[in-house]
Amino acid sequence: MRTEGGIPPHDGMSAGPRKRFVKKRRPVSAADLAKEIRTGSRLALAKGITLLESRSPEDRKDSQELLLGLLPDSGNSVRIGITGVPGAGKSTFIESFGLMLAEAGHKVAVLAIDPSSTVTGGSILGDKTRMEELSRHPNAFIRPSPSSGTLGGVHRKTRETMLLCEAAGYDVILIETVGVGQSETAVRGMADFFLLLVLTGAGDELQGVKKGIMELADGIIVHKADGDNVTPAKRTAREYKQFLRMLQPATPGWQTTVHPVSSFAGTGLEDVWETILGFRDSMSVSGEWDKRRREQLKAWFRQSIEDRLIESFYASEGRKNEVERLEGKILDGRLTVTAAVEELFRG
Amino acid sequence: MRTEGGIPPHDGMSAGPRKRFVKKRRPVSAADLAKEIRTGSRLALAKGITLLESRSPEDRKDSQELLLGLLPDSGNSVRIGITGVPGAGKSTFIESFGLMLAEAGHKVAVLAIDPSSTVTGGSILGDKTRMEELSRHPNAFIRPSPSSGTLGGVHRKTRETMLLCEAAGYDVILIETVGVGQSETAVRGMADFFLLLVLTGAGDELQGVKKGIMELADGIIVHKADGDNVTPAKRTAREYKQFLRMLQPATPGWQTTVHPVSSFAGTGLEDVWETILGFRDSMSVSGEWDKRRREQLKAWFRQSIEDRLIESFYASEGRKNEVERLEGKILDGRLTVTAAVEELFRG
């Protein structure tokens, strides 16, 4: 494989050994791997996810076969999306919340959507110092955010990883938003229940809450409600409750809840979990639970089609330059938008 | 022209006469029409807009030439977007507000974005009983929403009509949202200042305000603040002000304002206009005014490209059926989203 211009690929050094490894595991068929994943083997699950993330056409084919085989076993979990204002302590919350559930016998998977990783190539969840205790728990499975690819690609990998985890018996999926941009919408689009972590001191303005995020939340956690902060956190929770009465709920028929929580002291965590179970029960009765999942699936499909169209359109360097050239002329008042679009699609 | 399946087009009856009319006005070149529009001729302006709305390839070419010629004369207006909760009395407000400005010597154009018209083929603003007095004023120009076409098409026509009105000397453009759906976002994307009309009785919940709309507003009008309603309207205004302090402003550096207004009694209208002028002045100084307009232009271009891609993709009946067939298989758990997308783009 060669990139344009003859420059060797970035990971050229490792191509050899990796290929051998791939060859070694090739004899394991998708059906066999699916069987192993169903038994709950963490090794098989990790293998399956690696397959999903591979960009080789052959692996992609295998991974779709694997996924299709596991679809009937997926879906039996509570999918909890988690976002927060900067400094809200998301990792600490996930560690404590996840440990509480894992100790109670739940199987907990932690995934992440990180659109910023498409730019930096980095993976914040890959940082090994985070969620140290949870990551060692036999009932927990932590998967770093896919570290590269387009936003659509990262989104796809996280969704498919979630399905694989469910097939492996994980009944609580925590999907964390990482980085900036559209990760909240992406996570909302794959979660049953969406949690927003905030800090005390809402007062005059909801400190750091991005525009429109409040409307996505089914539950709000006022975090770090410990020590001297207990009383302010309770006051902030009241303020949020008042504020939320003015908004339409994120889920029809559900009034967004507010919870003071201390991950440090372990207080409020059970309350959050019971609320989520209550949500699942009443939404299952009303039919909203299944309806949302079906709508999410449809939206994922429609969005994937649009992403694919837009990606292929901008795939060529020449096309990108052409769009920028036309944009410059539009901004200078030398071309109309309509004429620019017609020029693009005629060419 | 014949539609697929040999069914004559809906407007087949009028095709003949219309064609003759088009032929008669053909000798007027785009340059001549531009000249007439610049003089402020309402007839020429109406002709220009009809040209913009025409679907014939020749007219489209002419209309783009016309628009390009008028671009240097456009932009000198305050573009005010107006939306409201159901029953808020948008038309009554536009009538009173527009009349006040027209009487003061401003030239006022009223346009509308109505995505629902793409479905119904109807045009709410076309209803002649609305804004009767304003429509007869020599300084006012009211244009019904383009009555058909895709959302992207309606959006384009309204934006281009706005530019033509500006070139004809209209210095206040009121762009009304009509119908449901994405019209607010579309209008926000072409307005300098965005007004939201609400009613008294916000109290426990912002009555009828759609999710995320509050965050788009630069100014909120508590309408029908007359008679017994004056005191409740003032109280509602205070409640909104308090609520708004919790939100990030729609425009950086601008705190969203709240105005009790009675279109019936004519109170509060001047206050709204002075606020908009103050907004323009301070945003011009900060550079936010021009920055927003440039960003709107860029976003319009990028969105037009995406709309075009998606429209062409779904243009064929066969493609639409194929997508629905695959969607059905996905919802039944017999196909993965990724495999469905690959199948679509392979075929």
Side-chain angles (χ1 to χ4, degrees):
Chain A
M1 187 193 111
R2 293 186 141 260
T3 57
E4 273 185 285
I7 300 154
H10 177 69
D11 59 347
M13 291 291 290
S14 61
R18 191 174 180 278
K19 203 148 192 178
R20 272 202 300 281
F21 172 68
V22 169
K23 269 194 181 140
K24 227 159 79 188
R25 68 167 166 78
R26 179 68 63 208
V28 179
S29 73
D32 286 344
L33 189 54
K35 211 177 289 173
E36 281 181 56
I37 288 175
R38 268 190 222 101
T39 67
S41 153
R42 296 163 67 100
L43 186 65
L45 177 58
K47 256 191 200 170
I49 297 172
T50 303
L51 197 62
L52 285 179
E53 294 180 354
S54 164
R55 286 155 169 253
S56 103
E58 201 179 341
D59 285 349
R60 284 187 75 133
K61 205 175 142 284
D62 285 354
S63 71
Q64 291 308 311
E65 200 186 318
L66 172 69
L67 201 58
L68 188 61
L70 290 173
L71 276 186
D73 306 287
S74 69
N76 300 314
S77 79
V78 188
R79 302 165 180 172
I80 304 168
I82 300 172
T83 192
V85 302
K90 255 186 311 170
S91 314
T92 320
F93 171 75
I94 292 172
E95 165 110 338
S96 313
F97 191 61
L99 271 174
M100 177 190 79
L101 296 171
E103 283 295 311
H106 290 286
K107 286 188 74 181
V108 181
V110 182
L111 311 176
I113 277 274
D114 181 6
S116 69
S117 68
T118 62
V119 179
T120 63
S123 167
I124 299 172
L125 250 181
D127 178 354
K128 289 208 180 72
T129 62
R130 289 177 75 228
M131 308 179 195
E132 218 177 328
E133 215 179 326
L134 182 61
S135 66
R136 283 197 307 262
H137 198 286
N139 277 350
F141 181 83
I142 300 186
R143 186 73 187 187
S145 169
S147 60
S148 68
T150 61
L151 174 56
V154 170
H155 185 161
R156 173 181 72 74
K157 287 166 196 167
T158 303
R159 275 206 80 125
E160 295 183 345
T161 299
M162 175 172 83
L163 299 174
L164 246 52
C165 290
E166 288 174 348
Y170 289 85
D171 64 327
V172 179
I173 315 279
L174 306 176
I175 316 148
E176 183 189 9
T177 63
V178 180
V180 290
Q182 301 150 285
S183 55
E184 289 90 358
T185 326
V187 170
R188 169 75 277 185
M190 59 183 83
D192 302 313
F193 191 94
F194 196 60
L195 274 173
L196 166 66
L197 271 71
V198 299
L199 294 169
T200 51
D204 259 5
E205 198 184 331
L206 304 179
Q207 299 298 332
V209 179
K210 276 196 277 178
K211 214 177 269 187
I213 300 303
M214 184 79 66
E215 281 95 333
L216 303 178
D218 294 307
I220 292 176
I221 286 174
V222 184
H223 204 206
K224 305 189 182 176
D226 36 41
D228 289 350
N229 214 16
V230 171
T231 311
K234 281 185 183 160
R235 191 177 57 236
T236 299
R238 272 196 307 276
E239 285 169 356
Y240 271 95
K241 268 182 197 157
Q242 217 170 352
F243 182 76
L244 285 165
R245 273 204 297 271
M246 311 271 278
L247 294 177
Q248 287 176 43
T251 304
W254 176 258
Q255 179 61 56
T256 306
T257 51
V258 188
H259 315 265
V261 166
S262 167
S263 292
F264 177 71
T267 51
L269 294 169
E270 279 181 36
D271 180 41
V272 173
W273 178 241
E274 273 157 27
T275 300
I276 293 171
L277 291 183
F279 174 89
R280 186 184 58 181
D281 290 348
S282 70
M283 292 305 121
S284 297
V285 169
S286 72
E288 197 61 42
W289 184 270
D290 281 339
K291 194 176 152 231
R292 166 172 280 166
R293 284 202 172 178
R294 284 175 69 89
E295 278 168 6
Q296 287 177 339
L297 204 48
K298 274 194 214 176
W300 177 23
F301 180 42
R302 297 298 173 129
Q303 191 58 55
S304 301
I305 294 174
E306 296 189 7
D307 288 351
R308 179 74 166 249
L309 285 169
I310 292 160
E311 270 169 43
S312 351
F313 181 78
Y314 286 107
S316 92
E317 202 57 40
R319 185 67 71 57
K320 246 186 265 173
N321 293 340
E322 179 68 358
V323 169
E324 269 162 35
R325 188 184 65 79
L326 293 169
E327 190 171 85
K329 285 181 81 173
I330 291 169
L331 291 174
D332 291 348
R334 290 183 291 128
L335 188 63
T336 67
V337 166
T338 303
V341 173
E342 304 227 323
E343 196 177 322
L344 263 179
F345 284 85
R346 204 175 40 229
Chain B
M1 187 193 113
R2 293 186 141 261
T3 56
E4 272 184 288
I7 299 153
H10 176 70
D11 60 347
M13 292 290 289
S14 61
R18 192 172 180 278
K19 201 148 193 179
R20 274 204 298 281
F21 173 67
V22 169
K23 268 195 182 139
K24 227 160 77 187
R25 69 169 165 76
R26 179 68 62 209
V28 179
S29 72
D32 286 344
L33 189 54
K35 212 177 286 175
E36 280 181 57
I37 288 175
R38 269 190 221 101
T39 68
S41 153
R42 296 164 67 99
L43 186 65
L45 178 58
K47 256 192 200 170
I49 297 172
T50 303
L51 197 62
L52 284 179
E53 293 181 353
S54 164
R55 286 156 169 253
S56 103
E58 203 179 341
D59 285 350
R60 283 186 75 134
K61 204 177 143 284
D62 284 355
S63 71
Q64 289 310 311
E65 200 185 319
L66 172 69
L67 201 57
L68 189 60
L70 290 173
L71 275 187
D73 306 288
S74 70
N76 300 315
S77 79
V78 187
R79 303 165 179 173
I80 304 169
I82 300 172
T83 192
V85 302
K90 254 185 311 168
S91 314
T92 321
F93 171 74
I94 292 172
E95 165 111 337
S96 313
F97 190 62
L99 272 173
M100 177 190 80
L101 295 171
E103 283 295 311
H106 290 286
K107 288 188 72 181
V108 181
V110 182
L111 312 176
I113 277 275
D114 181 7
S116 69
S117 68
T118 62
V119 180
T120 63
S123 167
I124 299 172
L125 251 180
D127 178 354
K128 289 208 178 71
T129 60
R130 289 177 75 228
M131 308 177 196
E132 218 176 328
E133 215 180 324
L134 182 62
S135 67
R136 284 197 307 262
H137 198 287
N139 277 349
F141 181 84
I142 301 187
R143 184 76 187 185
S145 169
S147 61
S148 68
T150 60
L151 174 56
V154 171
H155 185 161
R156 172 181 71 75
K157 287 166 196 167
T158 304
R159 275 207 79 125
E160 295 183 344
T161 299
M162 175 173 83
L163 299 174
L164 246 52
C165 290
E166 288 174 347
Y170 290 86
D171 64 326
V172 179
I173 315 280
L174 306 177
I175 317 148
E176 183 189 7
T177 63
V178 180
V180 289
Q182 300 150 286
S183 54
E184 290 90 357
T185 325
V187 170
R188 169 75 275 184
M190 59 183 84
D192 302 313
F193 191 94
F194 196 60
L195 274 173
L196 167 65
L197 270 71
V198 300
L199 295 168
T200 51
D204 258 6
E205 198 185 331
L206 304 179
Q207 299 298 331
V209 179
K210 275 196 277 177
K211 215 177 271 188
I213 300 304
M214 185 76 69
E215 281 96 334
L216 302 178
D218 294 308
I220 292 176
I221 287 173
V222 184
H223 205 206
K224 307 189 182 176
D226 34 43
D228 289 350
N229 214 15
V230 171
T231 310
K234 280 185 184 159
R235 192 178 54 236
T236 300
R238 271 197 307 276
E239 285 170 355
Y240 271 94
K241 269 183 196 157
Q242 216 170 350
F243 182 75
L244 284 164
R245 273 205 296 272
M246 310 271 280
L247 294 177
Q248 287 177 42
T251 305
W254 178 258
Q255 179 60 57
T256 306
T257 53
V258 188
H259 315 264
V261 165
S262 166
S263 294
F264 177 71
T267 51
L269 293 169
E270 280 182 36
D271 180 42
V272 172
W273 178 240
E274 273 158 27
T275 299
I276 293 172
L277 291 182
F279 174 89
R280 186 184 58 180
D281 291 347
S282 71
M283 292 305 122
S284 297
V285 169
S286 73
E288 197 62 42
W289 185 270
D290 282 339
K291 193 177 152 231
R292 167 172 279 167
R293 284 202 172 179
R294 285 176 68 89
E295 277 167 8
Q296 286 177 339
L297 204 48
K298 272 194 218 179
W300 178 22
F301 180 42
R302 297 297 174 129
Q303 190 60 53
S304 303
I305 294 173
E306 295 189 8
D307 288 352
R308 179 74 165 253
L309 285 169
I310 293 160
E311 270 169 44
S312 352
F313 181 79
Y314 287 106
S316 93
E317 202 57 40
R319 184 66 71 58
K320 245 186 265 173
N321 293 340
E322 178 68 358
V323 168
E324 269 161 36
R325 189 183 65 79
L326 293 170
E327 189 170 85
K329 285 181 80 173
I330 290 169
L331 291 174
D332 291 348
R334 291 183 292 126
L335 188 63
T336 66
V337 166
T338 302
V341 173
E342 305 227 323
E343 195 176 322
L344 264 178
F345 285 86
R346 202 176 40 230

